[in-house]
Amino acid sequence: MARIVVIGAGLGSMAAAARLAVAGHRVTVYESGATYGGGVRRFERDGFGFDTGPGLLHLPAVYRDLFVKTGKQPLEECVTLTQVDPASRHVFADGTRVDLPNASRAGTIAALDAALGGGAGERWGAFMGRAREAWDRTRRPLLEEPQPEDVSALGREPYPAPKAGLLRRPTTTLGRIGERELRDPRLAALLGSYAWSYGFDPVTAPAAASVLPYMEQTFGSWYVAGGIRALADAVYERCRQRRVEFVFDTEVTDVLQERGRATGLALAGGVTVAADHVVAGAPVPALYTEQIVGWESGDEWPRYQPMPTGRVTLCLALRGARESGAAHRTVVHASGELPTVTVLRPDDPALRPDAAHESVTVTATVGISASWAEFAERMLVQAATAVPDLRGRLLWQEVRTPDDTLLETGAAEVPGPALAGAGGRWLPAANRSPLPGLHFVGGWSHPGGGLAHAGMSGALVAGLIVEGADFRGSR
């Protein structure tokens, strides 16, 4: 039985902790804050509840596997999952609206043809076929396997170039896909919204980001009753059942090493903790760069998050019941200087004081140096497109900015999933660090950010520690 210490209590860290505990190890999690969940938070006031991190779950199979591997109770006995249908409603800058069904390619094509006309559905369907090729080429190495030491193969663009006559013209960015292949500003906006939801600007994101809409439209969007925070609650309880120990309000100040190997932690106040393995869910490597052999201050690590973006969330408490026909998720696309926003209106009694009120969250991605008050007002203008009489119903609002994310998680930016292409610049750090005995987990490490990817990072780290060099990935 090894002694394992985990830094941070995010979803990836807890996923690793539960798996390691089941494997027979003694696991202790040290969290600088007062609670678990990392960026999966809940804001509550006056009987209203709001998810201030992700609002929907994609690829629930990742957490189904976690619960199967760590106990007798499956995920569905611990949380209630419901497919959201329509998966999303889109309101474009010209006023066009379209409802996209959940996990139905044929239904999506038909809906786009009906709403946008001009062969829009056919072009989107052809694009999704190419996105599937990119997904098939990268799913194992980018989601289910440890990152290889030589990442040059992942630096090549997996998105297939469409034919232009007898030739194929390579497409290097997601924005170029919208221009060359979709040929409709509304379809380009639809494509871009999937990238923006993960903090990626489609103008600079590699074409490999095409896997993001493919993943969502193929495997569906799921809502967790009580909000995504309920998923964090369930993972925490599973850890406790497996006798993982949590120590909150405790800052880790250093990773100890001896003879070229991580040997424990230094805590605030001068306390040290010995360990056989250290698992770090910290978002940036600043804590470790001086300790790891071979790393110099000028080394480029991680190669990740070329664009510093964060998430602004408006928590809106509304009087009046949610109207019939309201969509769970509405994406209101940019118009002029107004931002693209995602409006979530879950029909969930757990998130409102009674049936005569409604809780609504509005999120947008923004550069972390923006003026929050001004940006929040522009977000509210956009949200009014999706919520009838929004200002007349508004009781109060709470604005959550990247500054809040920084206080809660240690980083203002929100990491996105690992992406192939662009010479590997969109790949996060490997789970196995250059210092033996130290592993990285969570959204800032392979395979990147997002609920499913963070959960997979936990599976990969546990596999690397338990099976060592023989570990070839999750099955």
Side-chain angles (χ1 to χ4, degrees), residues 17 20 34 37 93 101 139 182 216 255 273 282 321 327 338 344 347 358 368 399 418 423 458 460 469:
L20 289 166
R139 177 181 61 86
L182 299 181
E216 181 174 324
V255 174
V273 179
L338 298 175
L344 295 179
D347 188 9
E358 182 184 7
I368 58 174
V399 181
L460 293 173

Side-chain angles (χ1 to χ4, degrees), residues 238-443:
R238 178 54 53 91
C239 286
R240 296 288 294 165
Q241 292 165 5
R242 301 284 78 82
R243 300 186 179 180
V244 174
E245 182 182 357
F246 286 81
V247 182
F248 294 105
D249 296 313
T250 301
E251 181 184 358
V252 175
T253 59
D254 207 348
V255 174
L256 305 178
Q257 65 170 302
E258 185 177 335
R259 297 178 182 177
R261 181 179 176 84
T263 57
L265 303 177
L267 309 179
V271 176
T272 60
V273 179
D276 300 298
H277 299 275
V278 176
V279 176
V284 292
L287 188 61
Y288 315 110
T289 50
E290 295 180 359
Q291 287 81 9
I292 294 179
V293 176
W295 282 11
E296 303 294 339
S297 60
D299 285 351
E300 185 180 341
W301 192 95
R303 302 174 295 274
Y304 198 45
Q305 199 70 15
M307 194 179 95
T309 57
R311 182 180 294 122
V312 177
T313 301
L314 308 185
C315 305
L316 307 180
L318 305 184
R319 63 171 63 87
R322 181 179 187 267
E323 77 276 9
S324 175
H328 186 115
R329 173 174 55 169
T330 300
V331 180
V332 184
H333 294 272
S335 175
E337 295 184 355
L338 298 175
T340 291
V341 302
T342 298
V343 182
L344 295 179
R345 306 178 65 189
D347 188 9
D348 189 342
L351 302 181
R352 60 188 183 231
D354 53 49
H357 293 85
E358 182 184 7
S359 64
V360 173
T361 59
V362 185
T363 61
T365 302
V366 64
I368 58 174
S369 61
S371 169
W372 307 137
E374 178 184 345
F375 192 77
E377 175 59 28
R378 288 155 58 192
M379 289 173 62
L380 199 63
V381 171
Q382 287 287 76
T385 305
V387 184
D389 191 25
L390 174 60
R391 292 188 184 274
R393 297 175 59 198
L394 183 62
L395 294 170
W396 51 262
Q397 69 174 2
E398 173 78 11
V399 181
R400 309 285 293 179
T401 75
D403 292 338
D404 298 300
T405 307
L406 175 63
L407 290 174
E408 294 172 350
T409 69
E413 301 88 354
V414 178
L419 298 175
R425 293 192 302 274
W426 295 74
L427 298 175
N431 304 115
R432 184 191 285 115
S433 86
L435 179 66
L438 173 64
H439 289 79
F440 294 113
V441 75

Side-chain angles (χ1 to χ4, degrees), residues 72-279:
K72 295 181 179 179
Q73 270 190 309
L75 176 64
E76 276 81 358
E77 289 186 13
C78 301
V79 298
T80 300
L81 291 176
T82 306
Q83 278 195 299
V84 176
D85 203 5
S88 56
R89 174 173 293 164
H90 291 263
V91 181
F92 297 102
D94 66 354
T96 306
R97 296 175 177 243
V98 60
D99 286 357
L100 301 183
N102 200 329
S104 171
R105 179 172 175 177
T108 296
I109 291 173
L112 290 173
D113 271 335
L116 308 185
E122 180 181 357
R123 291 195 300 278
W124 184 263
F127 154 71
M128 289 294 285
R130 292 185 288 274
R132 177 179 179 175
E133 289 189 47
W135 169 261
D136 289 341
R137 293 171 180 174
T138 60
R139 177 181 61 86
R140 285 289 300 170
L142 275 191
L143 189 61
E144 299 172 357
E145 296 175 348
Q147 190 181 98
E149 291 186 15
D150 181 2
V151 299
S152 58
L154 293 176
R156 294 192 288 270
E157 179 56 63
Y159 183 79
K163 285 186 177 180
L166 298 176
L167 302 176
R168 288 185 179 271
R169 296 196 304 170
T171 305
T172 57
T173 68
L174 203 66
R176 294 294 284 169
I177 291 176
E179 295 174 7
R180 289 180 175 178
E181 302 170 30
L182 299 181
R183 303 192 306 277
D184 184 314
R186 295 166 298 184
L187 287 181
L190 172 62
L191 175 60
S193 68
Y194 289 96
W196 280 117
S197 67
Y198 288 98
F200 297 147
D201 185 342
V203 172
T204 56
S210 58
V211 301
L212 302 178
Y214 176 81
M215 181 178 70
E216 181 174 324
Q217 292 193 8
T218 301
F219 302 106
S221 301
W222 302 75
Y223 178 68
V224 180
I228 292 294
R229 178 66 183 184
L231 176 64
D233 294 340
V235 176
Y236 173 72
E237 288 303 320
R238 178 54 53 91
C239 286
R240 296 288 294 165
Q241 292 165 5
R242 301 284 78 82
R243 300 186 179 180
V244 174
E245 182 182 357
F246 286 81
V247 182
F248 294 105
D249 296 313
T250 301
E251 181 184 358
V252 175
T253 59
D254 207 348
V255 174
L256 305 178
Q257 65 170 302
E258 185 177 335
R259 297 178 182 177
R261 181 179 176 84
T263 57
L265 303 177
L267 309 179
V271 176
T272 60
V273 179
D276 300 298
H277 299 275
V278 176
V279 176

